[in-house]
Each structure stands twice: as C-alpha cells, then as structure tokens.
Amino acid sequence: RESDHRAWTPVSYTVTRQNATVQGLTEGKAYFFRIAAENIIGMGPFTETTKEIVIRDPITVPDRPEDLEVKAVTKNSVTLTWNPPKYNGGSDITMYILESRLIGKEKFHKVTKEKMLDRKYTIEGLKEGDTYEYRVSACNIVGQGKPSFCTKPITCKDEIAPPSLDLDFRDKLIVRVGEAFSLTGRYSGKPAPKVTWLKDDIVVKEDDRTKIKTTPTNLCLGILKSVREDSGKYCVTVENSTGSRKGFCQVNVVDRPSPPVGPVIFDEVHKDHMIVSWKPPLDDGGSEITNYIIEKKDAHRDLWMPVTSATVKTTCKIPKLLEGREYQIRIYAENLYGISDPLISDEMKAKDRFRVPDAPEQPIIKDVTKDSAVVVWKKPYDGGKPITNYIVEKKETMATRWVRVTKDPIFPSTEFKVPHLLEGCEYEFRVSAENEIGIGDPSPPSKPIFARDPIAKPSPPINPEAIDKTKSSVDLSWQPPRHDGNGKIIGYLVEYQKVGDDEWKKANLTADSCPETKYKVTGLTEGLTYKFRVKAVNAAGESEPAYVRDPVEVKDRLEPPELILDANMAREQHVKAGDTLRLSAVIKGVPFPKVSWKKEDHEVSPKADIEVTGVGSKLEIRNTVHEDGGIYSLTVENPAGSKTVSVKVVVLDKPGPPRNLKISEIRSDSCYLTWMEPEDDGGSAITNYVVERKDVASAQWVAISSSSKKRSHMAKYLVEGTQYLFRVAAENQFGRGPYVETLKPIKAIDPLHPPGPPKNLHHVDVDKTQVSLVWNRPDRDGGAEITGYLVEYQEDGADEWTKFQTVPMLDCVVTGL
C-alpha cells in the first residue's frame, strides 16, 4: 500500500519463491509491503515492512559527458563545449570538471577551479604553440563519473579562414511602400569578420525603422514601414584580416507616382479644341508611367468628363469644346501601383487665338534684266502663327489676271528672283503671306518695270601699275573692272599729270584707241615725276578713275639679270641618244642682258641651235649622241650685273665595249674568260654581259651566256682540238654595245707537262767499250705522245752527266766508253 493510504493492494496470489518483483509502482512515491504464507489449510499471518520504501532507481556516479568539441582556438585560448551524459546516475549533475594534458606529459590537470554547471568553457592564458588534450567529467551527489573521450591534440594558434557569405536575397528586391523587408544571410571566417551594411555607399545606421542584427554566424538588416527613400543599392561587407566578401541588392520601394508637373501649358487654343502639354511627375514611384488620364470640365459645372486614359505622351488634344466656354483640364499619372493625385489647369476660354497673316507692304523691284527681276518685301505680322510660305504673283501692266511665279515654297527669304520674263514687257508684282490658318491678303502692286538689261557706267579698272619705264615713256598695266555696267567695255582712257600741276592730260584721245588693259605713255620729259590714272568706258559713259599708287620718275632703269629656269634646266638632265636636247630659261633684266651658252667652258657644238628672244633663250641639239653630254652653262650679263646657271646633261646610250678580254685555264673541253667593264656605261648601269664563241672554221657566232652580271665566264663544252674565237659585249637598258673580240684563236687542248721517268732501267750486256741498256715506259706521258728517250752517262766519281743520244725505242747501246 502507498504510505498515505490504508488500503492494501494484492501484488500476486501465487509466489512459490522467497522473493517477488513488484511492478506498476510510481517513481518517487513511498510504499509499505507485507507478505503471508499459505498452505492447503489456509493463509497464515502477514509480516509487514517496518519502514516505508521510496520508489526510485539506485544512485550511481554519472556516465561520461558526450560530444566534447573544440569551438574556437586562438594563440592563447581554447573554447570547448559538450553535452550532458546520457545517464546522470540517478541524481542531478552538480558540476563538471574539465581537465587538460600538455602533449608530452602524462598527467591531466584540472582546469576549472570553481563549481561549473555551464557546458561551455574558455581556457585562457595558454602559451602560443603548445599542444593540449582535453577531457571533461560530470559529478553528482555520489561523486565524479568517468571522463569523456579526449579531444584531438589542439595547438594554440590563431585560426585563419577567409570570409564566406551566403545570402538569402537576390540582386533585386521590389517592395511596396509601407511594407517591411529584411536582408538576411550567413557568414563565417577566422578571425571573426566585421559586418558592415551600406546603402548607396553610405553606412546604414539603426533608427526606429532600421534594425541590424548580427550573430557569430548570421546577419540581418530589417526595415519597417518602408518609404520611397529606402530605395537604393544595399551592400553588406564581411571583412577580416584575410580578405572581404560583398553582397549586393538593389531595393526598389515602389508606390503610385507623384502628380504631373505643372503648370498645364495651352500650346494651341481654338474655338472647338485645345492642345495642352505638361511635364512628367518628378517621382514615377519606382515604376515606369504606363499612361496619363486626362479629363476636362466646364468651369461653370462640377462634372469632370473623360478625354483619354490611354496616352503616354505629355501632350493631348482636348476636342469637342463649345466656343466661348471656359474649361479646366485635370491630369493624372498612372503606373503599375496606382494613380497619382491630379494636376489641375487654370481656366481657358475656347476661342480662335490666331488668324491669317497681314498683307505685306508694297514690294520693291531690283536687279532687273531682260528676262528676270528680284522682288523684295518686308515680313508682315504673322497672325499669331509662324509664316510658312510666301506667294509671289506677276502680271503684265495691261493684263487683269495675276499669275503665281513659282509653285515651290518661298521661305524664310523675303526676296525672290522671278525668271522667264519677256524682254521689253512691262510687269507688276505682289506678295501674299501664308500660315497654317490660311493665306493672307496680297500686298499692293509694285511699281511697273520693263524687262530689259540696264546699262550703267562701269566700275573703275583694278590695280593699275607702272610695269616699265624709259627716259621718255612709261608702260602701264591694269585689270578689267569688276562690273561692266551690263554693257561692253569699249576701251580705256589713260591720263597723266606732272607732279605739282593741277591739269590732267590725256595720253589717248578716244577709248577705242586702247582696247586692251595696257598702254605705253610716250612723249614724257626725262627726270620729271608723273602721276597716272585710267578710266573704263562703255556705252553709258566713263567710270571713275583708278590711280597708279605711286608717282613715277621718268628715266631708264637698271635691273640686274635674273634667270627663271624651265623644268629642262634642272640640276641634271637625261636625254636618250637620238632624241632632241632642249635647255631654256626666262631672262629678265634692264637693259636686256647679253646671253652666252658654254659647254665645259668651251663653245657649244656647231650643231646646237641657240635662240634668244626678248624674254628668254633656248638651246636645242637634235639627234644627240653620247659626246653631247656634259656640263652646259648659261650666262646672262648687263651693266647691272651677271648671272650664270649650269646643268649636267647625260646622253643615255648603249655602253662601250668591255676592256682587257683575257683567256686562261685552257682545257680540252673548257676555258676561262675574264674582262673589265667598259670605260663608258652609256649613262645607265650595266645590266648584263653577252658572251659568244665561234669555231674558226665557221662563220656563225654562238651565244654561250647572255644574262650574267659577272665580268668572267667559264666556257664549257668545247670540242677537243678545235680552235675558237670569243667575244663579249655589255648591255644596259638602252641596248647592247659593241663587242670586244679575242685577237687570236685558242685551241681546246689540255696543257702539256714533261713525262715521268722511265722505269726499270738495267743493262743486258757489257763489253769493254760499250753497254746494252733496256727500260720500260714511264707511268705518265705528260699529256702527249712520247717522242723519244734521252740517254746520258756519267763516269764514276765525276759530277756531271754526259749526253749520249736520243732514241725512239726502249733500248740503247752506249758506245765509246
């Protein structure tokens, strides 16, 4: 029974052993138990426990703690965590004991000094570089339990890991105004990174709406009740000593747009419609404007009437208005998130504000010719609308119908040249202006004009000047007038005045006596100074005079010679043989210089034609030959000085013959030819040499080389024993020069050498006054048949050999010994 109950509860009716297990008890409650023996007769008395028994497990020391882990390591600290043991021994854990062992030592030492129930502990004050093992034990009222499994050896050093960043948001985020949003993510790194939030490169600070939460592994930026100003580019940066990582998000807080920007401008106002314009909203709410809603209202009524709700332009035509009524215009902007507040215009009355242009003033006619005239007018009032065209009309004075002069628009010029007039007819002209409203009234007609070329006096001649003078005359020259007055220039009048006099005298009495733009004034007095002037004359009369700028003193002038060289007097002239050589120059000087031509400081060739004129000189040589080349000089001389110029003339021709043709290394099938370049290359580089040979028995020369630039050649493929002649010519771009030929033929044979010594000389018989000798042929015959053998003898002891005779055979009998 339970200790606080009096009723007994049977546990078992049949127990044959002296022990029993009672089940179904409640842990923590106190019980009494009793036992009675029973036999076939019946049940005996109960025996009862003297003390109450509290139901609980037996108490032991706790099991070992689990999952001992290293959470952080620095150079002087280690942080550990662990989980409680699976079984606490039947009693609550009272504390944990953490122990460490320095690697290399045998014993563990207690790390915690005070009673510790936390399952996380940081050991500090460690030495950098030392390595430790750690274990932890749990304690209850019974005592200290088994230690946990040891950690792996841990070396005290700062752990380094670059930051990592894992974000829960994308690159873009759209939020409605008033809603909250948050940017979250996870990060890691060693040492622990610093987290920074930026918006548009400005650090985000916490306030009533902005919350920043950062844990060792998580980060979060939250904004409550967002507004449009919260839009921007957000950036989170995690950074430690090893580097940094960044994450970005473009947040767009969207809303309906602000009202369109006023005022409403009435671009056009008419009696039945208006055209209005406005500016877009300053803030489109973060979303593109999809359309504008335009409404109109009669100023004397309260009803707004729709005009359109489907335009994206900032201008609109307001139709169906009643003339004379005043109207207001209301404009809304709309995007995907709503409609803005309205922009309302001022009142505007529907009426025409514009009209056709006024009539121009009477036009002026100028520059009349036999078939055209220029009409000029002033711009009239445009009626409130820009003038877009002018209409010019013409009519003959006696006619009644006006005719447009052109169908093409005339604008913006206020003058027009009217073509296709009939010569001698009298015309009037008028002008009308046109704008988009219509064509205005025409101007009054112009004054009548006749279509014919006007003749006026010409303008003065241009730039008269004195170009030459003598002791009794002055030569004048000028240019025609810029304007001939629409009439032919008949001629010119030349006048002169002695300096100090008032009277101008005519040099020529009539203009037709000086039709050209030059004149020689004669009959002047030597030593006096004169002024000159010239007038142009046409059918309308004389022009204003044009004056020679400076007075001219009449006297002979001296000018040193001057040579102006033609192109053929350049520094060096090349002329092909047979062509014509021309040298020329313009000569100046007063008096005209004496002209002389020289070649190499000698007189030029008699075949040279020399021509001297009043302005220059020319030298010409036809059918030039190479000898015509050289240095030519032109000298001009007068009392004021002299001048000489020179030019080198090169007559381009075929080259001369090569020099010193020699033949060597003659063999039976070849020989070697050498020569020197020609003394004269014809004025052009030698391009190649032509080598030819000829059998003395043949009349035909055969080319053996025609493209070689070398001054030597190996003549091959000769026929042994044949006699040959050789010749060589040089070529340049102008042709082949004369040949140089060998003086006498050569024979194609190998060169001859002395034969070798006879072999095996010995005697075959001896007498008292003679010896019979025999021998064999020598190994080499020297390149020719052996014609005989010279036999010599020498007395024993003597120094010299004595010739006996020459024999043709391979034996000899030497006698007279």
Side-chain angles (χ1 to χ4, degrees):
R1 68 177 174 85
E2 294 180 9
S3 60
D4 54 352
H5 289 73
R6 299 186 64 82
W8 292 91
T9 301
V11 175
S12 174
Y13 290 100
T14 303
V15 179
T16 58
R17 302 183 304 276
Q18 282 78 41
N19 57 68
T21 299
V22 181
Q23 296 179 349
L25 304 180
T26 301
E27 183 178 2
K29 287 194 174 185
Y31 291 88
F32 286 96
F33 299 92
R34 70 180 182 177
I35 302 170
E38 186 179 14
N39 59 14
I40 59 172
I41 302 301
M43 183 183 296
F46 282 92
T47 299
E48 186 175 336
T49 56
T50 58
K51 295 182 179 179
E52 62 182 18
I53 298 172
V54 179
I55 302 304
R56 61 186 175 191
D57 289 334
I59 299 174
T60 63
V61 294
D63 288 351
R64 68 179 81 229
E66 297 187 341
D67 302 329
L68 177 61
E69 292 183 1
V70 178
K71 288 298 183 181
V73 178
T74 69
K75 62 184 178 182
N76 55 17
S77 69
V78 176
T79 300
L80 302 166
T81 62
W82 59 89
N83 291 327
K86 288 184 178 179
Y87 179 57
N88 61 7
S91 175
D92 293 337
I93 301 297
T94 58
M95 69 173 180
Y96 292 97
I97 298 174
L98 184 63
E99 298 173 300
S100 68
R101 179 175 73 87
L102 182 64
I103 297 300
K105 303 290 184 180
E106 293 183 0
K107 293 183 179 181
F108 278 87
H109 297 280
K110 186 176 180 181
V111 173
T112 53
K113 297 180 180 179
E114 299 178 355
K115 208 171 183 182
M116 181 181 67
L117 281 173
D118 290 339
R119 295 194 301 279
K120 180 178 180 180
Y121 190 77
T122 298
I123 304 103
E124 297 181 339
L126 303 178
K127 185 178 179 182
E128 183 176 6
D130 286 351
T131 304
Y132 295 89
E133 286 182 334
Y134 293 92
R135 67 185 184 183
V136 64
S137 304
C139 299
N140 62 10
I141 57 174
V142 176
Q144 181 177 345
K146 292 181 179 179
S148 67
F149 295 109
C150 291
T151 63
K152 293 180 180 179
I154 301 165
T155 302
C156 293
K157 62 180 180 180
D158 285 334
E159 293 189 13
I160 296 177
S164 66
L165 185 60
D166 182 17
L167 302 176
D168 297 329
F169 51 86
R170 295 187 177 181
D171 295 341
K172 294 183 179 179
L173 177 65
I174 297 177
V175 183
R176 289 292 296 268
V177 165
E179 293 181 354
F181 67 90
S182 62
L183 306 176
T184 60
R186 289 157 299 286
Y187 72 100
S188 63
K190 293 181 181 180
K194 176 184 177 183
V195 179
T196 306
W197 288 92
L198 302 175
K199 173 180 173 287
D200 296 331
D201 298 328
I202 299 175
V203 177
V204 178
K205 296 182 180 180
E206 284 193 288
D207 55 26
D208 293 340
R209 293 190 305 106
T210 305
K211 307 296 179 185
I212 299 175
K213 183 178 180 182
T214 304
T215 70
T217 58
N218 295 303
L219 48 85
C220 176
L221 169 65
I223 295 183
L224 308 174
K225 297 180 180 180
S226 60
V227 296
R228 284 278 294 139
E229 289 71 19
D230 293 328
S231 297
K233 187 175 184 179
Y234 287 81
C235 171
V236 60
T237 303
V238 290
E239 183 177 12
N240 65 8
S241 59
T242 65
S244 66
R245 291 290 300 277
K246 292 183 179 182
F248 297 93
C249 182
Q250 183 69 44
V251 177
N252 189 13
V253 180
V254 295
D255 193 8
R256 63 178 187 145
S258 62
V261 175
V264 177
I265 299 172
F266 291 88
D267 296 314
E268 295 184 21
V269 178
H270 301 274
K271 62 183 179 181
D272 60 350
H273 70 277
M274 302 176 184
I275 296 178
V276 297
S277 61
W278 60 92
K279 294 181 180 178
L282 295 176
D283 181 10
D284 63 2
S287 178
E288 185 178 357
I289 300 297
T290 57
N291 62 279
Y292 292 97
I293 300 170
I294 297 96
E295 298 174 336
K296 66 181 179 182
K297 181 176 78 74
D298 189 324
H300 301 292
R301 302 177 63 185
D302 294 332
L303 179 63
W304 287 95
M305 300 295 292
V307 175
T308 181
S309 60
T311 181
V312 294
K313 297 181 180 178
T314 57
T315 182
C316 179
K317 180 179 180 180
I318 313 297
K320 300 179 181 179
L321 305 182
L322 297 177
E323 185 175 5
R325 296 283 183 93
E326 292 185 339
Y327 290 89
Q328 279 185 299
I329 310 300
R330 185 166 70 179
I331 304 166
Y332 299 88
E334 184 176 7
N335 66 8
L336 292 175
Y337 303 100
I339 299 174
S340 72
D341 293 333
L343 167 66
I344 300 176
S345 74
D346 296 332
E347 296 179 359
M348 177 60 66
K349 183 179 289 187
K351 65 176 183 178
D352 284 334
R353 297 166 60 185
F354 310 109
R355 56 184 172 85
V356 297
D358 289 350
E361 297 177 3
Q362 182 184 37
I364 299 172
I365 311 303
K366 66 177 185 178
D367 298 340
V368 180
T369 69
K370 63 182 179 180
D371 59 358
S372 67
V374 176
V375 182
V376 182
W377 62 92
K378 292 183 180 178
K379 179 181 176 183
Y381 172 65
D382 60 10
K385 279 291 182 179
I387 293 174
T388 57
N389 185 29
Y390 291 104
I391 299 169
V392 179
E393 297 173 300
K394 69 179 179 181
K395 79 176 183 69
E396 294 183 23
T397 307
M398 303 304 294
T400 57
R401 189 168 66 91
W402 289 91
V403 180
R404 289 183 67 158
V405 300
T406 179
K407 294 181 179 180
D408 297 331
I410 304 172
F411 186 78
S413 176
T414 56
E415 67 176 55
F416 182 74
K417 184 176 182 179
V418 180
H420 311 307
L421 302 182
L422 297 177
E423 186 174 4
C425 290
E426 189 177 29
Y427 290 94
E428 292 178 322
F429 300 90
R430 70 181 186 182
V431 182
S432 304
E434 181 181 8
N435 63 12
E436 65 179 69
I437 306 300
I439 300 174
D441 294 332
S443 69
S446 68
K447 294 180 180 180
I449 59 98
F450 282 96
R452 59 189 176 196
D453 289 337
I455 298 178
K457 293 180 180 180
S459 62
I462 299 173
N463 195 26
E465 59 181 343
I467 59 173
D468 200 1
K469 63 182 180 179
T470 68
K471 61 184 178 181
S472 61
S473 66
V474 172
D475 289 348
L476 301 178
S477 175
W478 57 90
Q479 296 176 14
R482 288 189 175 88
H483 305 291
D484 59 8
N486 292 327
K488 179 182 177 183
I489 300 296
I490 300 171
Y492 298 91
L493 292 175
V494 180
E495 298 177 337
Y496 61 94
Q497 179 192 58
K498 191 179 352 178
V499 173
D501 290 353
D502 295 330
E503 180 185 1
W504 285 91
K505 295 181 180 180
K506 292 183 180 296
N508 61 323
L509 298 177
T510 59
D512 55 8
S513 64
C514 179
E516 298 182 358
T517 57
K518 60 182 180 178
Y519 190 77
K520 187 181 190 74
V521 181
T522 58
L524 304 178
T525 302
E526 183 178 5
L528 295 181
T529 302
Y530 292 87
K531 295 180 180 179
F532 298 90
R533 67 183 185 184
V534 184
K535 299 176 183 178
V537 181
N538 67 4
E542 302 174 3
S543 71
E544 291 295 320
Y547 292 85
V548 176
R549 186 175 62 180
D550 298 320
V552 179
E553 183 181 357
V554 178
K555 64 178 182 178
D556 283 334
R557 61 187 176 91
L558 284 177
E559 288 186 5
E562 184 178 351
L563 285 171
I564 302 174
L565 303 181
D566 292 346
N568 55 30
M569 285 286 284
R571 187 169 298 173
E572 184 170 301
Q573 285 293 315
H574 289 199
V575 59
K576 193 173 181 181
D579 290 350
T580 299
L581 168 66
R582 292 184 179 89
L583 303 177
S584 59
V586 175
I587 301 171
K588 292 184 178 181
V590 179
F592 190 79
K594 178 184 176 184
V595 178
S596 62
W597 290 87
K598 298 285 186 180
K599 178 190 175 192
E600 313 284 359
D601 295 330
H602 297 91
E603 295 297 325
V604 296
S605 170
K607 70 175 184 177
D609 293 331
I610 298 175
E611 179 184 351
V612 179
T613 66
V615 293
S617 180
K618 179 172 69 174
L619 179 145
E620 189 174 281
I621 300 177
R622 297 180 180 84
N623 299 318
T624 53
V625 295
H626 189 68
E627 291 72 17
D628 291 328
I631 305 296
Y632 287 78
S633 62
L634 169 61
T635 301
V636 291
E637 183 178 6
N638 71 2
S642 66
K643 191 168 185 180
T644 301
V645 294
S646 299
V647 60
K648 181 181 180 182
V649 175
V650 177
V651 179
L652 303 174
D653 198 1
K654 297 178 289 188
R659 298 174 293 153
N660 296 345
L661 175 60
K662 296 180 179 179
I663 301 178
S664 60
E665 301 180 24
I666 301 172
R667 300 286 187 272
S668 61
D669 60 350
S670 66
C671 64
Y672 188 61
L673 283 70
T674 60
W675 61 89
M676 295 175 63
E677 69 277 359
E679 289 185 356
D680 178 15
D681 61 4
S684 178
I686 301 297
T687 57
N688 60 284
Y689 292 95
V690 177
V691 183
E692 296 181 348
R693 77 179 185 200
K694 182 171 77 77
D695 187 336
V696 293
S698 172
Q700 185 175 359
W701 288 91
V702 178
I704 59 176
S705 174
S706 61
S707 60
S708 175
K709 295 183 179 180
K710 297 180 180 179
R711 296 191 296 275
S712 61
H713 183 74
M714 177 66 77
K716 298 181 179 180
Y717 312 114
L718 305 181
V719 178
E720 185 174 5
T722 304
Q723 292 185 337
Y724 291 96
L725 289 171
F726 293 90
R727 68 180 185 181
V728 180
E731 284 188 355
N732 63 12
Q733 67 180 42
F734 300 104
R736 182 182 301 175
Y739 286 92
V740 59
E741 189 174 331
T742 52
L743 298 177
K744 53 185 178 180
I746 60 100
K747 190 173 184 179
I749 58 173
D750 288 331
L752 298 179
H753 302 283
K759 300 176 63 178
N760 195 20
L761 172 65
H762 62 279
H763 64 276
V764 294
D765 194 10
V766 179
D767 201 346
K768 61 181 181 179
T769 59
Q770 62 182 24
V771 174
S772 296
L773 302 174
V774 295
W775 58 87
N776 294 333
R777 292 176 62 86
D779 288 337
R780 60 182 186 277
D781 59 6
E785 184 180 353
I786 295 176
T787 56
Y789 297 92
L790 174 62
V791 179
E792 296 178 329
Y793 62 90
Q794 180 190 58
E795 187 175 342
D796 190 19
D799 294 328
E800 295 184 359
W801 288 87
T802 302
K803 292 182 180 180
F804 176 65
Q805 69 181 45
T806 300
V807 297
M809 305 302 292
L810 297 175
D811 56 62
C812 177
V813 177
V814 181
T815 60
L817 302 175

